[in-house]
């Protein structure tokens, strides 16, 4: 199966203070071969937030049986349908 998981700092939610606070520093991180520790911390935090709220990432973990408190199975299945879903009908 293919799980299309795209991560973009523009996906950080402006209505959530923690994600809004990550937005500008994440976008300001230069694309260099080396980055500073503070920039790395921002990228890791933003990446984790974005993965956790992505339906296909949640679907992947759910399908693999990986327990995670942020997984909403209905959201994952609705937001990331798979071809195998249709064959089970």
């Amino acid at each position: 199966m293919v799980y299309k998981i795209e991560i973009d700092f523009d996906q950080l939610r402006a209505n959530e203070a923690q994600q809004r606070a990550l937005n500008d520093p994440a976008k300001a991180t230069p694309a260099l071969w080396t980055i500073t520790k503070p920039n790395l911390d921002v990228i890791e935090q933003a990446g984790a937030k974005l993965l956790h709220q992505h339906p296909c990432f949640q679907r992947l973990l759910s399908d693999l049986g990986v327990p995670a408190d942020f997984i909403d199975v209905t959201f994952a299945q609705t937001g990331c349908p798979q071809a195998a879903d249709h064959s089970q009908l």
Side-chain angles (χ1 to χ4, degrees), residues 73-89:
V73 176
T74 302
F75 170 71
Q77 290 177 342
T78 304
C80 190
Q82 295 292 321
D85 296 344
H86 303 292
S87 65
Q88 296 175 4
L89 295 177

Side-chain angles (χ1 to χ4, degrees), residues 31-59:
L32 303 172
W33 286 105
T34 58
I35 59 173
T36 65
K37 174 72 169 119
N39 285 346
L40 177 61
D41 292 342
V42 167
I43 291 169
E44 287 177 343
Q45 290 175 32
K49 289 279 182 208
L50 291 169
L51 281 172
H52 291 180
Q53 69 192 26
H54 198 290
C56 289
F57 183 69
Q58 290 187 26
R59 176 75 188 254

